[in-house]
Amino acid sequence: MPECNFFVRNGYCSNGDECLYLHIDPDSKLPPCPHYDRGFCPLGPSCSKKHVRRSICKYYLAGFCPNSVRQCKEGAHPKWPLQKLTPPTVRVKKDPEEERERVRELRERDAEREDERERQGGGRREWGGRGRGRFFRGRRGDR
């Protein structure tokens, strides 16, 4: 089932529960935190990226896992690559009042656009329609 474009752009959907498309939480689309994947993220829960919990291999914790990293079924093996990681960024919490105000403004703007379309006649032309090309001159009696 496709994702609802209106929900993605605005954070809400005017169709609500009756919408035929998926409303996916934007937090579920966050990339995983490379610091947490290595074993520890200094920002903890205030990190802007997703922290995916994994159980650690009990043999790895004891000091040696007889299975290789890719074949181990007991759990995860933390990775300690030598590359330097970019510093983590803090997640910015949105104020619920500000979010409600933003949603209200978006709804008002959408209502204004609908009113403007209705005032302009909805974009319909008197002689428009299907099957009438650019050479159409009107009714036969007008010629």
Side-chain angles (χ1 to χ4, degrees):
M1 181 181 281
E3 192 174 348
C4 177
N5 288 329
F6 195 83
F7 186 81
V8 170
R9 276 187 268 123
N10 302 316
Y12 75 95
C13 180
S14 57
N15 293 333
D17 294 335
E18 296 176 2
C19 185
L20 301 175
Y21 300 102
L22 288 176
H23 294 164
I24 298 174
D25 183 28
D27 290 340
S28 66
K29 294 181 177 180
L30 293 175
C33 176
H35 296 276
Y36 192 82
D37 285 346
R38 287 177 70 181
F40 175 76
C41 177
L43 294 179
S46 62
C47 182
S48 64
K49 297 188 178 175
K50 185 173 23 177
H51 290 177
V52 180
R53 290 189 178 196
R54 297 184 182 108
S55 60
I56 296 179
C57 173
K58 59 185 175 184
Y59 299 114
Y60 182 85
L61 264 167
F64 176 74
C65 180
N67 301 321
S68 69
V69 175
R70 293 189 177 128
Q71 294 176 350
C72 183
K73 296 179 181 171
E74 297 292 326
H77 294 211
K79 299 174 188 143
W80 301 100
L82 298 176
Q83 66 185 359
K84 289 191 174 189
L85 297 175
T86 59
T89 56
V90 178
R91 181 185 322 173
V92 178
K93 295 266 185 177
K94 294 180 180 176
D95 185 32
E97 280 297 318
E98 290 177 4
E99 189 64 23
R100 277 189 229 118
E101 180 67 24
R102 187 181 72 82
V103 169
R104 187 182 60 76
E105 288 174 1
L106 287 172
R107 286 183 178 163
E108 286 176 0
R109 188 176 59 194
D110 290 343
E112 289 173 5
R113 287 181 183 166
E114 285 295 321
D115 291 343
E116 184 66 29
R117 275 194 210 121
E118 288 176 10
R119 274 187 253 129
Q120 293 177 355
R124 295 182 184 166
R125 295 181 188 155
E126 185 177 337
W127 292 103
R130 193 172 206 187
R132 297 187 175 153
R134 64 182 221 211
F135 298 110
F136 181 73
R137 295 185 185 183
R139 290 185 236 136
R140 290 196 178 252
D142 293 344
R143 291 183 189 166

